[in-house]
């Protein structure tokens, strides 16, 4: 696999970046913190997504201050071109993947999970394996050394695909154990079934069944005989009960006929009484009808019908009442509407008068404010003149100064620079003077002791005795120089004070100008306010006069409408008087109409009562005929009644009931016995069926047990095969890896302290010194551990790339800051390691480092720089020209 191109947008410290990568060695160079490692992380993220982020989240990938990020990586694998693109977007307070697409020669694959699974299948390694093999990340250079042998074994076995064999072996073992559990269960079931079959065979079920069936036949014959006799007894009982029932029916019919005769007599008498009552009610209704006729004549005497019938006159008067009611409603509506209009006009007049009053009051307030504003404008103009005078006064201070107005800042900066220089010189001279004074004191002390002040030896014949006088002269010179420098410093301090005074004058002028601008702006605002208020004042005066005129007009209109309302109220009284007279006449006529209806109802009731009397007479005649027929039927039934036949039927019934009670008890016993025998037979038959079923089940279980035993043996054989194959492949890989590790470590380690490295079958690493003493890799120095780990990583990469049985496609070898723990000498050896990996056929190597020495090993150089202002990184890529060959 080879990474061809990487494009970034808003990925961590990169705003926009586009990097092309070629075969060979590419060195990404830059200072610490410039964003070198971010390029490697971007490649890792493009391939494996969020699994490449360790403990971080997608939020950490997006550049601070941005809402979206994009990563796109093009790569070649086994001669085919691929590209993967991932896009992220902040939604609320967390980032999500909005696009994840892998373009392959066979089509596009969409979705983060499917893309991650496809990449892992292509490279034959997941994210963890990628880090453990091809991508040596910054700070993880000692990862495999610090790992325990079992952890190192798992990592390397997974990289070499041996973990799959262990997984298969464990699956085979799990299958074997599962079969073993099922086999134990099946064997237990077979034993249980055998015990049940033996228990049932000991019961002689067939012999028991024959005996029970014989007893059942005898019992069935007895039951059939007694049932025949019981049927004859039941027939006798039914015949006797029929005779007795007919006797009871006859007696009941006679009693019913007697009851019917009594009821007919009672009904005839009751109907005759009702006919007499109806005759009385007819006489009463005739008397009421005559009284109503007299009342009608009295009512009509005081009413003028105008030649119309009563109903017609009522209809005419009701029509006139409706007309008067409509007129009355119209007058009332007119009065209500006009009254409302009057009220509205008066309210509007009050409102206009109130508005006029408010307008005059506001105009008076504006007059007072206008006076205040004009006074404030006069004060502001006076303040402007004062500020102009102050500004001129401050500017006059520059008339005799060495700089013009506005240049004091440059002067101060220059003077302070000179003062700082003199201060540094004073510090240097003072330090030198102190050193000379200390030397003089030490020399004088040594002279007192009789020793040379220069070398500390005896003073006699010492060539350095005169050095003390020279130091005293040097001290005097330094003190004079220090005094001159201090005098210059004091003079500069005075000039700086004068400069600061001028600078303060400039600042005061600036403040005065700002204040003058504020005052002038306020004056303009005041003048605009005065104009606006004067215009508002005049408008309010005009509004007050308009409101007063409108109020007077509305009050005059309200008075006119009040006169109209009085006229309508007079009309209302006339209409009410006419309606009152009309209602009295209508009430009299409606009573006449009611009397006519009541007389008609009375006439109808009289006719109804006459009809009822006739119907009741006819009904009683029919009842008398029915009474005669009922008496004849009763005499016939009494003549047919025979007491002796009834007594014989009662005796037969008693005998039959006695026999049935006895035979029912006997049949109940026999049927209970038959049921018991049938239950026993059913139980024996069920047990025989269960015995046959148990034999069938035992046969099925035996066949399954034989298949499980065969499957158990096959799973055990498969488990042992996978274990042996894994052990064999691991031993071959360990031998190859040990050889590659020693070759690589000899190449990068320049000392001659170690004889070799041993890697056993459990992936325990041991370093042997020249004297044969074994060392744990943890006992190596920091630089040695770094070289050891790089050697181990490269050896694993070579093993995977070369393969035990042949070459295998591999991703680029990626080294992130591999020189962290190395001294300058071993950095050169690392360059040799990189070159050797290239010579061994590694198609692409990417190294991130801030070390200049690694640049020489590069075919391509990518320099990363970070803009201090925007905090964004940018790339510069160039092809490194090969060094010319040396000639003698």
């Amino acid at each position: 696999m080879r990474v061809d191109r990487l494009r970034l947008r808003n990925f961590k410290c990169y705003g926009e970046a586009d990097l092309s990568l070629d075969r060979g060695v590419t060195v990404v160079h830059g200072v610490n913190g410039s964003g070198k490692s971010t390029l490697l992380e971007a490649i890792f993220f493009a391939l494996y997504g969020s699994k490449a982020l360790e403990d971080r989240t997608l939020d950490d990938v997006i550049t601070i201050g941005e809402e979206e990020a994009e990563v796109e990586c093009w790569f070649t694998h086994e001669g085919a071109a691929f590209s993967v693109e991932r896009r992220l977007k902040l939604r609320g307070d967390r980032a999500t993947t909005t696009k994840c697409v892998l373009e392959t020669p066979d089509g596009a694959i969409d979705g983060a999970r499917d893309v991650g699974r496809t990449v892992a299948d292509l490279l034959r390694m997941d994210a963890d394996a990628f880090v453990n093999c091809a991508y040596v990340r910054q700070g993880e250079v000692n990862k495999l050394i610090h790992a325990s042998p079992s952890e190192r074994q798992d990592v390397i076995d997974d990289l070499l695909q041996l973990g799959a064999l262990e997984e298969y072996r464990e699956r085979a073992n799990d299958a074997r154990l599962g079969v073993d559990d099922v086999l134990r269960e099946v064997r237990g079931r077979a034993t249980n079934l055998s015990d049940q079959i033996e228990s049932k065979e000991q019961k002689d079920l067939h012999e028991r069944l024959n005996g029970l069936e014989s007893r059942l036949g005898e019992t069935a014959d007895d039951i059939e005989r007694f049932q025949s006799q019981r049927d004859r007894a039941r027939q006798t009982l039914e015949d006797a009960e029929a005779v007795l029932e007919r006797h009871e029916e006859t007696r009941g019919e006679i009693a019913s006929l007697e009851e019917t005769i009594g009821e007919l007599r009672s009904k005839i008498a009751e109907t005759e009484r009702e006919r007499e009552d109806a005759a009385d009610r007819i006489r009463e209704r005739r008397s009421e009808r005559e009284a109503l006729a007299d009342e009608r004549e009295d009512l009509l005497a005081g009413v003028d019908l105008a030649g119309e019938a009563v109903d017609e006159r009522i209809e005419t008067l009701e029509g006139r009442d409706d007309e008067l009611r409509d007129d009355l409603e119209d007058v009332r509506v007119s009065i209500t509407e006009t009254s409302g209009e009057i009220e509205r006009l008066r309210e509007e007049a009050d409102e206009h008068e109130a508005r006029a009053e408010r307008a005059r009051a506001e105009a008076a307030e504006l007059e007072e404010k206008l006076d205040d504003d004009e006074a404030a404008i006069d004060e502001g103009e006076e303040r402007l003149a004062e500020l102009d005078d102050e500004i001129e006064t401050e500017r006059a201070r520059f008339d005799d100064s060495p700089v013009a107005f506005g240049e004091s800042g440059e002067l101060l900066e220059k003077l302070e620079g000179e003062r700082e220089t003199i201060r540094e010189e004073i510090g240097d001279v003072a330090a030198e003077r102190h050193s000379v004074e200390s030397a003089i004191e030490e020399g004088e002390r040594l002279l007192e002791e009789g020793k040379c002040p220069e070398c500390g030896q005896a003073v006699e014949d010492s060539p350095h005795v005169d050095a003390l006088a020279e130091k005293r002269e040097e001290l005097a010179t330094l003190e004079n120089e220090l005094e001159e420098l201090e005098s210059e410093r004091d003079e500069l301090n005075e000039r700086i004070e004068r400069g600061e005074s001028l600078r303060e004058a400039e600042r005061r002028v600036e403040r005065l100008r700002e204040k003058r601008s504020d005052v002038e702006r306020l004056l303009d605002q005041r003048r605009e306010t005065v104009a606006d208020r004067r215009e508002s004042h005049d408008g309010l005066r005009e509004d007050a006069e308009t409101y007063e005129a409108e109020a007077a007009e509305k009050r005059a209109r309200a008075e006119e409408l009040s006169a109209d309302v009085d006229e309508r109220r007079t009309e209302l009284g006339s209409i009410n008087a006419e309606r009152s007279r009309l209602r009295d006449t209508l009430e009299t006529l409606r009573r006449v109409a009611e009397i006519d209806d009541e007389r008609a109802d009375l006439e109808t009731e009289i006719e109804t009562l006459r009809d009822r009397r006739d119907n009741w007479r006819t009904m009683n005649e029919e009842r008398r005929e029915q009474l005669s027929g009922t008496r004849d039927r009763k005499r016939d039934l009494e003549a047919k009644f025979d007491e002796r036949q009834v007594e014989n039927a009662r005796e037969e019934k008693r005998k039959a009931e006695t026999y049935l009670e006895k035979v029912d008890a006997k049949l109940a016993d026999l049927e209970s016995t038959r049921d018991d025998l049938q239950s026993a037979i059913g139980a024996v038959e069920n047990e025989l069926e269960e015995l046959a079923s148990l034999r069938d089940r035992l046969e099925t279980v035996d066949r399954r047990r034989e298949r499980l035993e065969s499957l158990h043996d096959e799973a055990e054989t498969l488990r042992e095969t996978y274990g042996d194959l894994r052990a064999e492949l691991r031993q071959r890989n360990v031998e190859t890896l040990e050889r590659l590790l020693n070759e690589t470590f000899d190449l990068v380690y320049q000392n001659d302290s170690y004889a070799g490295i041993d890697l056993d079958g459990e992936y325990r690493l041991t370093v042997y010194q020249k004297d044969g003493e074994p060392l744990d890799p943890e006992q190596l120095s920091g630089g040695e551990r770094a070289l050891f780990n790089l050697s181990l990583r490269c050896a694993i990469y070579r093993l995977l790339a070369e393969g035990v049985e042949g070459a295998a496609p591999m991703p680029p070898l990626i080294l992130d800051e591999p020189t962290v723990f190395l001294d300058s000498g071993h950095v050169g050896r690392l360059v040799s390691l990189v070159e050797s990996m290239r010579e061994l056929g590694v198609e692409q190597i990417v190294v991130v480092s801030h070390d200049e020495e690694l640049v020489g090993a590069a075919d391509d150089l990518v320099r990363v720089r970070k803009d201090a202002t925007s905090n964004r990184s940018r790339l510069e890529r160039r092809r490194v020209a090969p060094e010319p060959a040396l000639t003698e």
Side-chain angles (χ1 to χ4, degrees):
M1 175 216 176
R2 180 181 73 254
V3 177
D4 300 318
R5 180 185 170 196
L6 177 68
R7 185 184 65 81
L8 306 178
R9 187 173 74 85
N10 297 333
F11 186 88
K12 292 192 174 182
C13 59
Y14 288 92
E16 295 282 350
D18 198 329
L19 175 63
S20 296
L21 298 173
D22 291 333
R23 291 181 174 84
V25 180
T26 299
V27 174
V28 181
H29 185 269
V31 298
N32 290 333
S34 60
K36 305 182 300 299
S37 299
T38 301
L39 295 174
L40 304 183
E41 294 173 1
I43 295 173
F44 192 22
F45 177 74
L47 293 175
Y48 293 100
S50 59
K51 294 183 179 179
L53 299 179
E54 295 184 298
D55 297 331
R56 292 168 295 175
T57 64
L58 294 176
D59 303 354
D60 302 323
V61 171
I62 301 177
T63 303
I64 296 174
E66 301 293 339
E67 295 186 354
E68 295 182 336
E70 295 181 16
V71 179
E72 192 168 6
C73 180
W74 290 263
F75 61 93
T76 302
H77 183 69
E78 294 185 328
F82 296 84
S83 69
V84 60
E85 180 181 6
R86 295 181 187 267
R87 291 184 185 176
L88 308 177
K89 184 177 179 62
L90 277 176
R91 300 185 187 275
D93 57 351
R94 59 179 299 180
T96 57
T97 300
T98 59
K99 181 179 181 181
C100 182
V101 177
L102 174 65
E103 296 290 346
T104 73
D106 298 327
I109 297 173
D110 195 1
R113 291 187 178 179
D114 292 339
V115 169
R117 193 160 40 244
T118 303
V119 169
D121 292 340
L122 280 174
L123 303 183
R124 290 188 287 184
M125 58 179 67
D126 57 14
D128 291 335
F130 189 84
V131 170
N132 290 323
C133 172
Y135 181 17
V136 182
R137 289 194 289 195
Q138 184 174 348
E140 295 184 356
V141 69
N142 293 324
K143 180 177 179 180
L144 286 178
I145 293 179
H146 293 317
S148 65
S150 61
E151 292 172 342
R152 192 180 303 119
Q153 173 180 306
D154 292 340
V155 169
I156 297 176
D157 279 357
D158 287 343
L159 290 173
L160 297 173
Q161 305 297 314
L162 296 184
L165 291 175
E166 176 61 18
E167 182 180 352
Y168 297 154
R169 189 187 69 83
E170 291 177 355
R171 288 180 183 176
N173 187 56
D174 291 341
R176 180 184 63 84
L177 294 176
V179 171
D180 198 15
D181 293 340
V182 176
L183 184 58
R184 281 197 299 272
E185 179 187 355
V186 170
R187 286 171 177 167
R189 288 170 58 189
T191 301
N192 185 30
L193 290 171
S194 298
D195 294 341
Q196 293 181 50
I197 291 170
E198 183 179 358
S199 174
K200 290 186 181 297
E201 288 176 345
Q202 293 175 357
K203 293 181 180 180
D204 295 330
L205 296 175
H206 290 288
E207 183 177 351
R208 285 177 58 192
L209 179 62
N210 293 334
L212 290 170
E213 288 177 343
S214 298
R215 290 177 57 194
L216 179 62
E218 296 172 357
T219 304
D221 293 340
D222 292 340
I223 289 173
E224 184 177 358
R225 179 167 52 80
F226 280 108
Q227 283 178 341
S228 176
Q229 295 175 359
R230 182 183 63 181
D231 292 340
R232 290 194 295 274
R234 282 177 176 171
Q235 185 62 45
T236 302
L237 178 61
E238 288 175 359
D239 294 341
E241 286 177 344
V243 172
L244 293 174
E245 184 177 353
R246 286 195 298 275
H247 172 67
E248 290 299 325
E249 289 176 354
T250 301
R251 290 183 60 184
E253 187 176 355
I254 293 171
S256 175
L257 291 172
E258 290 176 349
E259 184 178 354
T260 301
I261 292 169
E263 289 177 355
L264 289 172
R265 288 173 177 172
S266 176
K267 288 179 179 179
I268 291 170
E270 179 67 25
T271 302
E272 288 298 326
R273 284 194 299 272
E274 288 178 352
R275 289 185 75 245
E276 291 298 327
D277 292 339
D280 294 338
R281 289 170 64 190
I282 289 171
R283 288 190 290 271
E284 291 174 0
R285 296 297 177 267
R286 286 174 179 167
S287 176
E288 292 176 5
R289 184 179 62 183
E290 293 173 357
L292 289 172
D294 295 339
E295 182 182 357
R296 184 177 187 276
E297 290 179 3
D298 294 338
L299 289 172
L300 288 176
V303 175
D304 182 12
L305 293 176
E308 296 178 336
V310 173
D311 293 338
E312 293 175 352
R313 187 60 177 165
I314 289 174
E315 186 176 353
T316 300
L317 293 176
E318 286 178 345
R320 177 56 183 163
D321 185 59
D322 291 339
E323 292 175 0
L324 291 173
R325 184 174 62 249
D326 293 340
D327 294 341
L328 183 65
E329 185 64 26
D330 292 340
V331 172
R332 284 175 176 169
V333 170
S334 177
I335 291 172
T336 302
E337 291 178 350
T338 306
S339 299
E341 180 67 13
I342 292 170
E343 184 66 24
R344 183 184 63 78
L345 289 170
R346 288 172 177 168
E347 289 177 356
E348 289 181 356
D350 293 339
E351 178 64 23
H352 284 310
E353 290 172 352
R355 288 179 179 175
E357 184 65 26
R358 288 197 297 273
R360 293 190 183 281
E362 291 178 11
E365 291 178 1
L366 285 176
E367 285 182 1
E368 295 177 0
K369 291 181 179 178
L370 283 170
D371 295 338
D372 295 339
D373 290 338
E374 290 173 353
I377 290 172
D378 294 338
E379 291 177 2
E381 290 174 347
E382 292 176 2
R383 180 57 179 158
L384 280 179
E386 292 174 0
L387 290 171
D388 289 337
D389 293 341
E390 291 181 17
I391 290 171
E392 289 302 322
T393 301
E394 293 297 331
R395 289 181 65 89
R397 295 177 61 182
F398 285 84
D399 294 343
D400 298 330
S401 66
V403 294
F405 180 82
E407 299 178 356
S408 62
E410 297 177 0
L411 176 63
L412 270 176
E413 186 177 355
K414 176 182 176 184
L415 293 175
E416 287 175 349
E418 293 177 359
R419 183 173 64 179
E420 184 62 28
T421 301
I422 289 176
R423 282 177 177 171
E424 291 177 357
E425 292 179 359
I426 289 173
D428 294 340
V429 172
E432 189 175 352
R433 183 186 68 179
H434 179 71
S435 176
V436 171
E437 286 176 345
S438 298
I440 291 172
E441 291 176 1
E442 180 66 17
E444 290 175 346
R445 184 183 63 78
L446 289 173
L447 281 175
E448 289 177 0
E449 295 176 358
K451 295 181 180 179
C452 176
E454 286 289 320
C455 59
Q457 302 298 321
V459 175
E460 296 177 0
D461 300 328
S462 173
H464 307 296
V465 176
D466 296 333
L468 194 57
E470 294 176 359
K471 290 189 178 295
R472 289 192 180 99
E473 291 177 1
E474 184 181 355
L475 178 60
T477 302
L478 290 172
E479 287 177 345
N480 291 333
E481 185 178 353
L482 184 61
E483 184 176 352
E484 291 175 359
L485 290 172
E486 288 175 347
S487 176
E488 290 181 17
R489 181 192 62 190
D490 294 340
E491 182 181 353
L492 279 173
N493 286 337
E494 292 175 359
R495 294 174 64 190
I496 288 173
E497 288 177 3
R498 290 195 296 273
E500 288 176 346
S501 176
L502 293 174
R503 179 58 179 161
E504 180 59 30
E506 288 179 349
R507 293 194 180 105
R508 178 164 173 73
V509 168
E510 290 297 323
R511 290 194 295 272
L512 289 172
R513 285 175 175 171
E514 291 177 359
K515 189 177 295 184
R516 186 185 187 284
S517 176
D518 293 340
V519 172
E520 191 171 9
R521 185 173 61 257
L522 289 174
L523 277 175
D524 292 339
Q525 293 175 355
R526 287 277 189 181
R527 292 188 183 102
E528 292 176 2
T529 302
V530 166
D532 294 340
R533 285 178 176 172
R534 194 173 302 282
E535 183 179 353
S536 298
H537 173 269
D538 297 339
L540 288 170
R541 290 282 190 183
E542 293 175 1
D543 291 344
E545 294 174 358
T546 302
Y547 290 144
E548 288 171 349
E550 290 179 356
E553 182 182 348
K554 291 183 182 294
R555 288 197 184 279
R557 176 60 180 158
E559 293 301 324
E560 294 175 1
L561 293 175
S562 295
D564 293 340
V565 169
D566 293 338
E567 293 176 1
R568 301 297 284 175
R569 283 176 178 161
T570 302
E571 184 181 354
L572 185 65
S574 301
I575 294 172
N576 283 328
E578 185 179 353
R579 285 196 73 196
S580 178
R581 292 191 298 272
L582 188 62
R583 285 175 179 173
D584 292 339
T585 303
L586 277 171
E587 186 176 351
T588 299
L589 291 174
R590 286 172 182 149
R591 176 56 187 158
V592 170
E594 289 177 0
I595 289 173
D596 292 340
D597 292 338
E598 290 177 6
R599 291 182 68 205
D601 292 340
L602 289 171
E603 187 65 33
T604 301
E605 186 175 355
I606 290 170
E607 290 298 324
T608 301
L609 290 171
R610 286 173 179 168
D611 293 339
R612 286 181 180 177
R613 290 186 82 247
D614 292 339
N615 291 333
W616 285 334
R617 184 181 66 249
T618 303
M619 190 182 299
N620 272 348
E621 291 174 356
E622 293 174 354
R623 286 172 178 167
R624 289 187 180 99
E625 292 177 0
Q626 184 182 358
L627 178 62
S628 175
T630 303
R631 286 172 177 169
D632 293 340
R633 174 62 179 166
K634 177 174 177 292
R635 285 193 291 269
D636 292 340
L637 290 174
E638 287 174 347
K640 294 178 180 179
F641 195 76
D642 186 358
E643 282 292 342
R644 187 169 51 189
Q645 183 183 5
V646 172
E647 187 62 31
N648 290 334
R650 285 175 179 161
E651 181 65 21
E652 291 293 330
K653 178 175 179 293
R654 183 186 59 77
K655 291 179 180 179
E657 287 176 345
T658 302
Y659 179 77
L660 286 173
E661 289 178 0
K662 294 178 180 179
V663 79
D664 285 342
K666 180 62 177 176
L667 281 172
D669 292 340
L670 291 172
E671 288 173 350
S672 176
T673 301
R674 181 193 63 189
D675 293 341
D676 293 341
L677 290 171
Q678 288 176 342
S679 298
I681 290 170
V684 172
E685 290 175 343
N686 287 338
E687 287 198 73
L688 287 171
E689 291 177 359
E690 290 177 3
L691 178 60
S693 175
L694 288 172
R695 286 170 177 163
D696 293 340
R697 287 168 60 191
L698 178 60
E699 183 178 354
T700 302
V701 169
D702 285 338
R703 288 198 300 270
R704 188 180 181 194
R705 177 181 52 77
E706 293 172 357
R707 290 197 301 271
L708 286 172
E709 288 174 348
S710 175
L711 184 60
H712 181 274
D713 294 340
E714 292 175 0
E716 176 65 22
T717 302
L718 186 61
R719 183 184 69 86
E720 293 174 354
T721 301
Y722 282 134
D724 295 343
L725 179 60
R726 180 170 176 266
E728 179 183 353
L729 291 176
R730 179 187 292 170
Q731 183 60 38
R732 293 166 62 188
N733 288 329
V734 165
E735 293 172 357
T736 304
L737 184 59
E738 182 183 44
R739 174 179 59 79
L740 294 174
L741 175 58
N742 278 283
E743 291 176 1
T744 308
F745 191 69
D746 290 342
L747 177 65
V748 299
Y749 191 61
Q750 63 184 5
N751 295 332
D752 193 22
S753 304
Y754 303 108
I757 302 171
D758 178 66
L759 180 66
D760 65 11
E762 300 299 325
Y763 291 96
R764 281 188 292 268
L765 290 164
T766 305
V767 180
Y768 287 95
Q769 301 182 84
K770 289 295 185 180
D771 59 1
E773 185 70 21
L775 288 178
D776 189 278
E778 291 283 354
Q779 296 176 279
L780 300 176
S781 67
E784 289 174 336
R785 283 200 306 273
L787 289 172
F788 185 89
N789 182 73
L790 287 172
S791 300
L792 179 57
R793 290 293 190 96
C794 290
I796 293 172
Y797 187 92
R798 287 179 59 190
L799 176 62
L800 292 174
E802 296 174 5
V804 177
E805 298 295 341
M810 287 292 292
L813 178 61
I814 302 173
L815 305 177
D816 189 0
E817 293 289 2
T819 64
V820 172
F821 300 103
L822 303 181
D823 54 30
S824 58
H826 282 99
V827 171
R829 306 296 288 182
L830 179 61
V831 172
S832 300
L833 174 62
V834 171
E835 292 176 346
S836 68
M837 294 296 289
R838 177 170 53 187
E839 293 171 359
L840 288 170
V842 178
E843 185 176 10
Q844 190 176 48
I845 302 173
V846 181
V847 182
V848 166
S849 178
H850 62 276
D851 199 307
E852 289 286 351
E853 191 170 349
L854 282 177
V855 173
D859 298 314
D860 286 282
L861 177 62
V862 178
R863 292 195 180 274
V864 182
R865 292 184 174 85
K866 180 174 285 190
D867 189 312
T869 303
S870 63
N871 203 32
R872 296 288 184 268
S873 299
R874 56 188 178 85
L875 305 175
E876 295 178 4
R877 177 179 177 272
R878 65 181 177 85
R879 190 73 178 174
V880 178
E883 295 183 359
L886 297 177
T887 58
E888 297 182 358

